[in-house]
């Protein structure tokens, strides 16, 4: 779209800018061309009004020929010359029309002297318009680049968050299905219960992933479904203890933030321990605006580091960064055979 | 059907999950020619039971506490047919490189289990020997090295983190692994051990010696062409001529 014709306010401003130009032209006609003031005004005003629109066409050549093109100046000079000749032609036509009136008798001889002035200022004005358009073009390009960059950043952040969120561990599913397969003959009621729990876990995981923030109670329900399934798998080997301040249940937090931490506690804890393991989840609200979450588990200090260790924690850290910046803190400690992940984040509530 | 000799096929079930063991037990049950001699819930137990009971067949999980399935196999594996039973598909390639009979993916159908059992019986009937000591080296992905070495001492399993391994000495079919003043014998060639360890830390200084560079304190001439390294616990190891150039290259690099 034309940057001036397309915008009414800009068009008004642009035409207003031609006011001083026509005043100069009146002066030039009067002083150099020897026209009387009245005749100079009668010539200059319609000529400027028309030339203002001729110059608008420079936009199209500017858009077509980028400034980097070495031949651009030559092209614009030729265009300026053509525009100025056109302007002189208009001036001649105007003179011809005006001469037919009694008051403007003899105008044609007078204006013939003003044509060089007209040509010179025509070229100059056209080139001025060209310069203006190039400034507008580069401005437009800069805004667009900035817009694209912002869009790219938003997209990258969104896809990053998405990638970090959807992380149902396939091995967990396969092992669950294997447990269900075993239970179908030995304990069909328990097999059914496990199907229901697994279904609940999957539904919540898939459903919560799309939301930006969820109440803590929803995240806890997901953890309960997950841990109930794992307790069937590991039977008496897995002990779970949970302690949540009831006031914290409505606090909002990013979905599936705690699940990977609890899954880590299972994978690096009980799954590596022959004698069984425990997980303790403690959620407190030390101050009304603060949420303190601790997930603790025992582990085998001699177990080799499993492949992929640390990815879950890194993801949680990145997500906290993305959501809260420096208002959230993640602290990881290993103490003999205990592993403790502490989270501190603002306790935000639904308005 | 019974095996050729008329004896029952003795099987060991190894999985840390009770329910996972149960399903294998259940599927073995209809076969009168099969006998489950023991069930183990972790790698240590598996090594102990396999050594004591000498089963013909082992159903083996991979991710387990203490020792993983491959480590168990490395310690006991010479003539036990192995069927891996796991939820992880990424170990399949490695499983066949260690000559596993089959690789069952949890959960599996009864028919699939029967097929695995059939293959196991064929393996037990024939004789397809394999050398388990080569497996750690051959199946390791490029650029990753062992973080620990497992050794069987009778029925006990010793885990030596590589940071605590001072040096290794070849002794016929065995290597003696020196760690914290003790020596542990393992049935393995020194070359396959060398291949499993990070070459930036462990250098072959002699046909029979592999040394942990972090233990080396001095390098002294010894005789005409040879040298000797002195470790920080005072141990002296011979250095051959080619071993000397290898060692020197490393020591020069470290400045």
């Amino acid at each position: 779209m034309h940057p001036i014709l397309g915008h009414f306010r800009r068009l008004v401003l642009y035409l207003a800018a031609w006011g001083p130009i026509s005043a100069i032209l009146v002066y030039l006609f009067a002083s150099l061309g020897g026209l009387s003031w009245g005749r100079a005004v009668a010539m200059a005003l319609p000529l400027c009004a028309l030339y203002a629109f001729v110059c608008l066409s420079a936009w199209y050549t500017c858009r077509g020929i980028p400034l980097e093109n070495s031949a651009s100046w030559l092209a614009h000079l030729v265009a300026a010359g053509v525009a100025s000749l056109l302007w002189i032609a208009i001036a001649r036509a105007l003179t011809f029309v005006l001469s037919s009136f009694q008051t403007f008798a003899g105008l044609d001889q007078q204006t013939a002297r003003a044509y060089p002035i007209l040509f010179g200022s025509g070229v100059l004005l056209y080139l001025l318009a060209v310069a203006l358009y190039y400034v507008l073009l580069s401005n437009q390009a800069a805004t667009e680049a900035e817009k694209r960059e912002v869009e790219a950043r938003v997209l990258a952040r969104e896809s990053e968050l998405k990638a970090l969120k959807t992380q149902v561990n396939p091995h967990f599913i396969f092992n669950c299905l294997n447990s269900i397969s075993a239970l179908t003959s030995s304990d069909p009621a328990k097999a059914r219960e496990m199907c229901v729990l697994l279904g609940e876990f999957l539904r919540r995981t898939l459903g919560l992933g799309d939301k930006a923030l969820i109440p803590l109670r929803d995240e806890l329900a997901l953890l309960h479904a997950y841990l109930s399934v794992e307790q069937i798998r590991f039977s008496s080997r897995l002990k779970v203890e949970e302690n949540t301040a009831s006031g914290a249940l409505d606090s909002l937090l990013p979905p599936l933030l705690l699940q990977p931490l609890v899954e880590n506690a299972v994978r690096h804890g009980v799954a590596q321990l022959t004698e069984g393991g425990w997980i303790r989840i403690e959620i407190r609200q030390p101050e009304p605006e603060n949420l303190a979450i601790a997930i603790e588990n025992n582990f085998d200090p001699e177990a080799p580091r499993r492949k992929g260790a640390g990815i879950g924690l890194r993801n949680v850290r990145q997500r906290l960064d993305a959501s809260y910046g420096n208002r959230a803190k993640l602290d990881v400690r290993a103490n003999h055979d205990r592993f403790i992940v502490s989270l501190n984040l603002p306790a935000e509530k639904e308005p | 059907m019974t095996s050729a000799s008329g004896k029952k096929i003795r099987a060991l079930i190894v999985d840390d999950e009770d329910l996972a063991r149960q399903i294998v037990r259940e599927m073995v049950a209809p076969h009168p020619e099969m006998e489950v001699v023991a069930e183990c819930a972790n790698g240590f137990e598996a090594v102990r039971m396999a050594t004591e009971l000498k089963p013909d067949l082992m159903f083996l999980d991979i991710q387990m506490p203490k020792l993983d399935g491959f480590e168990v196999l490395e310690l006991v594996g010479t003539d036990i047919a192995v069927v891996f039973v796991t939820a992880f598909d990424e170990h399949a390639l490695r499983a066949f490189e260690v000559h596993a009979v089959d690789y069952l993916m949890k959960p599996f159908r009864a028919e699939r289990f029967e097929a695995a059992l059939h293959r196991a019986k064929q393996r037990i009937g024939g004789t397809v020997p394999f050398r388990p000591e080569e497996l750690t080296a051959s199946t390791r992905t490029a650029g990753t090295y062992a973080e620990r070495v497992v050794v069987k001492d009778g029925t006990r399993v010793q885990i030596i983190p590589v940071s605590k391994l001072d040096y290794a000495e070849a002794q016929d079919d065995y290597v003696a692994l020196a760690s914290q003043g003790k020596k542990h014998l393992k049935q393995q060639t020194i070359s396959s051990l060398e291949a499993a360890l990070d070459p930036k830390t462990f250098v072959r200084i002699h046909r029979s010696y592999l040394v942990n560079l972090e233990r080396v304190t001095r390098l002294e001439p010894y005789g005409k062409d040879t040298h000797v390294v002195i470790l920080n616990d005072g141990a002296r190891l011979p250095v051959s001529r080619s071993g000397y150039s290898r060692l020197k290259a490393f020591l020069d690099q470290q400045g």
Side-chain angles (χ1 to χ4, degrees):
Chain A
M1 199 164 67
H2 198 289
I4 290 171
L5 269 180
H7 300 82
F8 181 72
R9 278 192 51 204
R10 283 191 196 170
L11 185 63
V12 170
L13 256 167
Y14 172 79
L15 291 178
W18 277 85
I21 293 171
S22 34
I24 292 168
L25 199 66
V26 167
Y27 173 76
L28 288 177
F29 277 163
S31 59
L32 300 176
L35 269 74
S36 71
W37 286 103
R39 290 187 172 195
V41 169
M43 279 297 290
L45 280 187
L47 277 178
C48 278
L50 285 166
Y51 202 58
F53 286 95
V54 171
C55 284
L56 282 175
S57 69
W59 163 255
Y60 299 100
T61 43
C62 285
R63 208 180 47 179
I65 310 165
L67 196 56
E68 300 81 51
N69 192 330
S70 52
S72 60
W73 285 109
L74 190 67
H76 288 307
L77 272 175
V78 171
V82 171
S84 300
L85 288 177
L86 181 70
W87 204 16
I88 290 169
I90 294 169
R92 289 197 66 160
L94 187 67
T95 311
F96 179 77
V97 172
L98 286 178
S99 303
S100 59
F101 295 100
Q102 197 57 54
T103 31
F104 292 104
L107 185 70
D108 40 354
Q109 286 91 25
Q110 283 177 321
T111 47
R113 270 183 292 159
Y115 287 153
I117 303 167
L118 210 55
F119 186 82
S121 46
V123 169
L124 216 64
L125 284 169
Y126 187 89
L127 290 180
L128 212 62
V130 165
L132 173 72
Y133 289 131
Y134 274 129
V135 168
L136 283 175
L137 268 173
S138 75
N139 236 341
Q140 206 174 24
T143 336
E144 263 168 30
E146 203 175 309
K147 206 170 114 192
R148 265 199 308 277
E149 202 187 320
V150 168
E151 274 171 5
R153 260 211 305 271
V154 167
L155 269 176
R157 168 66 59 86
E158 268 175 11
S159 67
E160 189 185 328
L161 281 177
K162 209 167 161 189
L164 293 175
K165 266 190 233 165
T166 49
Q167 278 196 337
V168 180
N169 180 358
H171 299 127
F172 165 70
I173 308 282
F174 294 135
N175 278 316
C176 278
L177 291 172
N178 198 51
S179 301
I180 292 169
S181 167
L183 288 168
T184 44
S185 59
S186 64
D187 191 346
K190 202 157 197 177
R192 179 168 299 166
E193 193 197 330
M194 195 160 175
C195 282
V196 172
L197 285 169
L198 181 60
E200 193 180 326
F201 168 73
L202 288 176
R203 191 161 25 246
R204 285 185 183 275
T205 303
L206 301 174
L208 294 180
D210 296 336
K211 295 176 185 158
L213 291 168
I214 58 163
L216 177 65
R217 73 172 77 245
D218 286 359
E219 180 82 8
L220 285 177
L222 175 89
L223 294 184
H224 293 155
Y226 172 73
L227 285 167
S228 305
V229 171
E230 293 287 43
Q231 272 182 314
I232 297 177
R233 263 183 71 202
F234 292 106
S235 59
S236 56
R237 274 172 66 201
L238 175 59
K239 301 260 186 300
V240 177
E241 197 183 302
E242 196 214 305
N243 204 340
T244 303
S246 55
L249 288 172
D250 292 320
S251 300
L252 298 174
L253 70 175
L256 308 183
L257 189 71
L258 307 183
Q259 199 276 335
L261 298 175
V262 172
E263 195 175 317
N264 266 351
V266 171
R267 279 178 52 213
H268 304 289
V270 66
Q272 304 271 351
L273 289 159
T274 49
E275 302 306 319
W278 50 262
I279 294 172
R280 187 153 45 230
I281 301 169
E282 191 166 303
I283 301 175
R284 290 177 305 119
Q285 208 166 356
E287 292 137 43
E289 68 278 7
N290 249 320
L291 212 56
I293 302 171
I295 293 164
E296 194 178 342
N297 64 279
N298 61 338
F299 72 104
D300 177 4
E302 286 174 0
R305 276 168 51 89
R306 283 208 172 162
K307 207 172 61 183
I311 290 178
L313 269 176
R314 204 164 52 235
N315 279 359
V316 169
R317 206 183 283 278
Q318 282 174 0
R319 293 187 55 202
L320 277 178
D321 263 0
S323 306
Y324 298 106
N326 56 10
R327 291 186 301 145
K329 220 177 82 190
L330 177 75
D331 196 37
V332 179
R333 273 174 301 152
N335 191 351
H336 294 298
D337 65 339
R338 287 180 178 204
F339 195 80
I340 307 156
V341 179
S342 322
L343 267 169
N344 267 289
L345 52 146
E348 288 165 352
K349 293 232 161 95
E350 202 111 40
Chain B
M1 191 186 114
T2 50
S3 62
S5 61
K7 269 177 26 192
K8 281 195 172 187
I9 294 175
R10 303 166 72 246
L12 192 65
I13 302 173
V14 185
D15 198 305
D16 63 321
E17 287 177 38
D18 194 14
L19 289 168
R21 292 195 302 274
Q22 180 194 312
I23 197 161
V24 174
R25 199 192 319 137
E26 190 184 305
M27 288 188 178
V28 169
H31 294 268
E33 76 283 9
M34 301 284 301
E35 182 193 356
V36 175
V37 288
E39 290 184 20
C40 308
N42 65 66
F44 279 172
E45 245 180 77
V47 172
R48 191 160 58 83
M49 290 313 224
T51 313
E52 267 177 19
L53 301 170
K54 303 241 176 289
D56 307 300
L57 175 61
M58 189 155 56
F59 294 99
L60 188 58
D61 186 13
I62 291 177
Q63 300 268 316
M64 288 182 295
K66 301 296 182 191
L67 292 177
D68 72 28
F70 289 104
E71 286 170 326
V72 169
L73 190 55
E74 191 187 335
L75 292 175
V76 305
T78 35
D79 32 47
I80 302 175
V82 170
V83 173
F84 281 109
V85 187
T86 176
F88 294 75
D89 57 355
E90 60 261 39
H91 302 302
L93 198 65
R94 194 173 166 198
F96 286 106
E97 279 172 1
V98 303
H99 305 276
V101 168
D102 210 340
Y103 191 88
L104 285 179
M105 302 272 289
K106 294 171 179 175
F108 46 85
R109 282 202 173 85
E111 289 86 346
R112 184 68 189 79
F113 185 84
E114 292 298 320
L117 205 55
H118 184 68
R119 295 181 64 172
K121 285 175 186 167
Q122 284 181 322
R123 170 74 67 89
I124 293 161
T127 42
V128 190
F130 75 102
R131 300 176 63 76
E133 68 267 25
E134 308 297 346
L135 57 94
T136 334
S138 69
T139 58
R140 206 161 285 284
T141 32
T144 65
Y145 299 100
E147 284 175 27
R148 59 189 203 172
V149 180
V150 288
V151 191
K152 192 174 55 137
D153 179 12
T155 58
R156 260 169 41 87
V157 174
Q158 196 76 40
I159 293 173
I160 306 169
V162 290
S163 61
K164 290 194 173 142
L165 179 60
D166 303 333
Y167 66 92
E169 181 187 351
Q171 294 182 355
D172 300 326
D173 288 345
Y174 291 85
V175 277
L177 304 165
S179 170
Q180 298 179 298
K182 287 198 198 118
K183 283 197 178 176
H184 308 268
L185 275 186
K186 183 179 185 185
Q187 196 176 6
Q188 186 175 20
T189 64
I190 196 161
S191 303
S192 73
L193 178 68
E194 184 187 2
L197 297 173
D198 186 349
K200 287 197 196 71
T201 317
F202 289 89
V203 175
R204 186 80 172 267
I205 51 167
H206 187 275
R207 194 163 48 86
S208 305
Y209 289 94
L210 186 62
V211 75
N212 185 342
L213 278 181
E214 281 157 23
R215 297 293 185 277
V216 174
T217 53
R218 280 207 311 284
L219 179 63
E220 287 181 357
Y222 183 80
K224 224 164 60 173
D225 272 339
T226 56
H227 288 77
V228 61
V229 284
I230 295 150
L231 308 192
N232 51 11
D233 64 352
R236 298 163 72 87
L237 306 177
V239 182
S240 66
R241 216 180 324 172
S242 60
Y244 176 73
S245 54
R246 266 197 294 272
L247 191 58
K248 205 154 177 319
F250 271 102
L251 295 177
D252 288 348
Q253 252 174 37
Q254 289 174 354

